[in-house]
Amino acid sequence: MDITSKIMMTAREKFGIEVLKPFQLLVMQRIVEQDTSDDVTNQTVILPTGTGKSLCFLVPSLLCRNITVIIYPLLALMNDQLSKLRRANVDCVCLRGGQTAKQRDEIFEKLRNGTKIIITNPETLIQKKVLERLEQFKVSLMVVDEAHVIAAWGESFRPAYSQLNECVKSVKPHQIVAFTATASEHTLEVINSCLFGEEPLVVRGDADRENIFYAVWPVVDRTAGLIELLKICEKPVLVFCNRRNDTYRLCCTAMRLMHGVPMRYYHAGLTKNERETLEKWFIDSTDGILFSTNAFGMGIDAHHLRTVIHHRIPSDVEAYLQESGRAGRDGLPAKAWAIVSEDEKSVTGNNAVLMIFTENKCRRSALLKILEQDKEECTGCDVCSTSKIEKPLCYETVISLIREYPFEFTAVSASLLLCGADRRYRLNPYFAVLSDTDTDLLRDSIRKMTADKTHPYRPLGTLFRGKLYVRIIRKNRVRNRFVRIREGSSVQGAE
């Protein structure tokens, strides 16, 4: 039986895959062919999220003569692949932190008895005792999955990644393959210097995920805007947060305001059992919301995820595409929302990804351009589809109310009126116009609209014990004067 037939048969019998994509077959064939060759060229494989990268090394690992070592960056990803292999009745072992000497002995005994796949992480692999025991075995293949983190994390956050070259020298794998969904030229250089002694073969697919629609959700207050979006977006939803505390805080706020919607929070600080339970819950959920750090992002096999929301946008385009690429892995339409505050529209700093979401140009083309890929036609973004939301949902309503009733409402009373929380205002035409909005969150949003007297996105002024009015900033040759305009008359004054 030829190599291609063996690959197709293994994919079908072990993983239920009847048809392999061209890039998958190309990578698999090369790995299996080189397993019996003295002339080996290592590979870096760049394929977008959802195209079946893991299959590219799991199938060959069953066909190679000796052991395959697969290195993952996250425990969540390790758990996901372990579950996948066990469902396929594939023998494998896992080397991870916290294992006893007896557990390690049992693992290496299994390897001596024919188990061919090791799942591990860099911190475990670089341990001296682990390397000494691995040196007793022949390693056909070393796989580094999500290899872009070598550049993103290896220098400071995960120094074990910078020591992988020492592992390569010790284990002496017959061939090495690095896999990632996105990689700039700088990232490729870092991967090459860390893993390969010479230039590898780069297999690069199109990084674009055509079924994902990229859009901006403008907000005044980040929490209030997120709740508004969660109420209308398609479920299941994954909300990426920067900090562990944010996952808990936002989840609690959403649970208080969105009764009956199942939601959880997830981060690397939870126990192993808690994480595994949450992963299973979310993968099986059809209407759930998960607030998570990037500890959940990479490689979790939630194919039905319809929406990804970034509470704050990462500065790294590779991280953004990895995380937004969690959506729509089943190939069906999905959305990636970026929450952008009014402040961020004028201050983007060095965040190239944030700049993309504050400019009026194709989101897809701009993201791919950073990766040095050209896209002539956009298959879905709010700019190209002319569906861009210019202002936050509450913004125009608040401005309209205060313009019509200047000096009559404070931030507190305006929020009570608009949310319908105070029956004294029931005859006002604006009563309960924003009834689906939380009163406290709307109050905070209104206060943010008045916080800075000179900021172009702070359109409200306050006088007379916090009474609100709409201000327009006009520049003349002498100074800025604040002018309130109502029904054709103007009143000038200082704030």
Side-chain angles (χ1 to χ4, degrees):
M1 186 181 297
D2 62 15
I3 288 176
T4 302
S5 299
K6 289 180 180 179
I7 290 172
M8 296 299 296
M9 185 178 69
T10 304
R12 181 173 58 254
E13 292 181 353
K14 289 295 184 180
F15 302 101
I17 303 297
E18 296 289 342
V19 179
L20 293 172
K21 298 170 185 175
F23 276 118
Q24 288 177 316
L25 188 58
L26 174 66
V27 173
M28 292 181 198
Q29 286 174 329
R30 189 169 189 86
I31 292 174
V32 178
E33 286 171 356
Q34 292 191 150
D35 187 53
T36 57
S37 172
D38 293 330
D39 184 16
V40 175
T41 302
N42 296 315
Q43 301 181 78
T44 296
V45 180
I46 308 169
L47 296 176
T49 302
T51 54
K53 290 190 298 297
S54 61
L55 205 64
C56 291
F57 54 81
L58 291 178
V59 170
S61 68
L62 300 176
L63 297 175
C64 289
R65 295 172 297 174
N66 300 307
I67 288 173
T68 295
V69 178
I70 307 173
I71 303 168
Y72 293 110
L74 301 172
L75 291 175
L77 187 48
M78 293 166 65
N79 293 335
D80 185 62
Q81 290 293 8
L82 279 169
S83 299
K84 186 181 296 184
L85 289 171
R86 286 167 182 166
R87 287 196 301 269
N89 294 318
V90 174
D91 287 333
C92 60
V93 294
C94 179
L95 285 170
R96 59 188 297 171
Q99 292 172 326
T100 64
K102 181 180 179 181
Q103 289 172 322
R104 290 280 170 88
D105 290 340
E106 292 173 352
I107 287 171
F108 285 101
E109 184 62 28
K110 287 183 179 180
L111 294 175
R112 280 189 286 270
N113 291 333
T115 299
K116 296 175 64 178
I117 299 177
I118 300 173
I119 290 176
T120 189
N121 56 32
E123 286 76 11
T124 302
L125 189 61
I126 65 171
Q127 294 174 12
K128 184 177 180 181
K129 290 183 178 179
V130 172
L131 289 175
E132 286 176 351
R133 299 185 76 167
L134 274 179
E135 288 172 1
Q136 301 171 17
F137 300 88
K138 291 183 178 180
V139 176
S140 284
L141 177 64
M142 178 179 283
V143 174
V144 181
D145 198 16
E146 308 294 354
H148 65 282
V149 302
I150 295 175
W153 297 350
E155 296 178 2
S156 55
F157 180 51
R158 299 284 293 274
Y161 268 103
S162 300
Q163 301 176 47
L164 283 179
N165 55 348
E166 298 300 321
C167 297
V168 170
K169 294 176 183 177
S170 180
V171 175
K172 297 182 176 62
H174 187 66
Q175 57 181 315
I176 308 168
V177 185
F179 287 85
T180 184
T182 56
S184 64
E185 290 305 315
H186 168 70
T187 300
L188 286 176
E189 290 175 5
V190 175
I191 292 172
N192 292 350
S193 64
C194 183
L195 295 179
F196 310 120
E198 55 187 25
E199 196 74 18
L201 172 69
V202 177
V203 180
R204 188 193 297 268
D206 187 351
D208 184 27
R209 290 286 305 285
E210 295 185 352
N211 63 315
I212 296 179
F213 186 98
Y214 299 98
V216 168
W217 186 259
V219 299
V220 175
D221 178 83
R222 203 173 289 277
T223 301
L226 173 61
I227 300 300
E228 290 175 341
L229 177 55
L230 287 174
K231 288 178 178 179
I232 64 171
C233 67
E234 190 176 359
K235 313 297 187 298
V237 183
L238 178 58
V239 182
F240 278 108
C241 310
N242 277 5
R243 297 173 297 184
R244 294 178 182 181
N245 184 56
D246 287 340
T247 67
Y248 173 75
R249 177 180 61 83
L250 292 172
C251 183
C252 290
T253 301
M255 290 178 71
R256 178 171 61 87
L257 301 175
M258 299 175 64
H259 301 293
V261 180
M263 57 187 76
R264 306 282 191 277
Y265 67 94
Y266 182 104
H267 55 69
L270 301 177
T271 66
K272 175 186 174 184
N273 289 338
E274 287 173 330
R275 291 195 303 270
E276 290 178 351
T277 300
L278 285 169
E279 290 160 17
K280 186 178 187 307
W281 167 78
F282 193 56
I283 289 171
D284 295 338
S285 175
T286 58
D287 59 351
I289 300 173
L290 186 67
F291 298 84
S292 176
T293 60
N294 62 7
F296 189 88
M298 290 179 287
I300 301 299
D301 198 15
H303 279 73
H304 63 314
L305 189 59
R306 299 270 60 84
T307 305
V308 166
I309 300 172
H310 275 89
H311 180 245
R312 291 189 183 274
I313 301 172
S315 59
D316 181 3
V317 68
E318 293 157 343
Y320 176 78
L321 289 174
Q322 287 275 353
E323 293 166 7
S324 62
R326 296 298 104 203
R329 296 187 68 184
D330 54 5
L332 299 176
K335 275 197 171 183
W337 287 99
I339 291 181
V340 178
S341 71
E342 293 293 295
D343 290 346
E344 289 175 318
K345 292 183 177 181
S346 58
V347 184
T348 57
N350 295 322
N351 191 332
V353 183
L354 176 58
M355 190 176 296
I356 289 171
F357 287 104
T358 57
E359 296 178 344
N360 191 34
K361 62 182 181 181
C362 177
R363 319 289 189 197
R364 185 182 306 276
S365 297
L367 287 167
L368 294 174
K369 187 176 181 180
I370 298 178
L371 297 178
E372 301 181 1
Q373 294 190 19
D374 295 326
K375 192 69 178 179
E376 295 181 359
E377 182 178 352
C378 178
T379 56
C381 81
D382 56 350
V383 174
C384 295
S385 65
T386 65
S387 59
K388 179 183 175 185
I389 302 172
E390 296 294 343
K391 293 290 182 183
L393 293 185
C394 70
Y395 189 94
E396 296 298 342
T397 302
V398 172
I399 297 299
S400 179
L401 168 69
I402 304 306
R403 180 176 286 120
E404 190 166 344
Y405 298 95
F407 303 110
E408 292 190 24
F409 295 99
T410 64
V412 173
S413 58
S415 61
L416 292 172
L417 163 65
L418 292 170
C419 294
D422 191 333
R423 298 289 295 174
R424 291 178 300 172
Y425 300 120
R426 64 185 181 278
L427 298 181
N428 189 294
Y430 286 89
F431 181 73
V433 170
L434 299 177
S435 58
D436 289 337
T437 304
D438 179 70
T439 306
D440 292 340
L441 293 180
L442 181 59
R443 177 202 63 210
D444 293 342
S445 294
I446 295 174
R447 284 175 175 169
K448 286 187 177 181
M449 294 168 70
T450 69
D452 186 340
K453 295 181 179 180
T454 61
H455 197 288
Y457 294 105
R458 303 294 166 84
L460 298 181
T462 57
L463 281 177
F464 312 129
R465 297 181 180 178
K467 300 294 185 178
L468 299 167
Y469 70 95
V470 177
R471 63 186 178 87
I472 300 175
I473 299 177
R474 289 180 179 172
K475 291 183 179 180
N476 63 21
R477 295 178 182 177
V478 181
R479 67 185 186 277
N480 289 348
R481 290 189 297 173
F482 304 96
V483 184
R484 178 174 59 82
I485 300 176
R486 185 193 178 198
E487 298 178 357
S489 63
S490 65
V491 179
Q492 297 184 3
E495 291 192 320

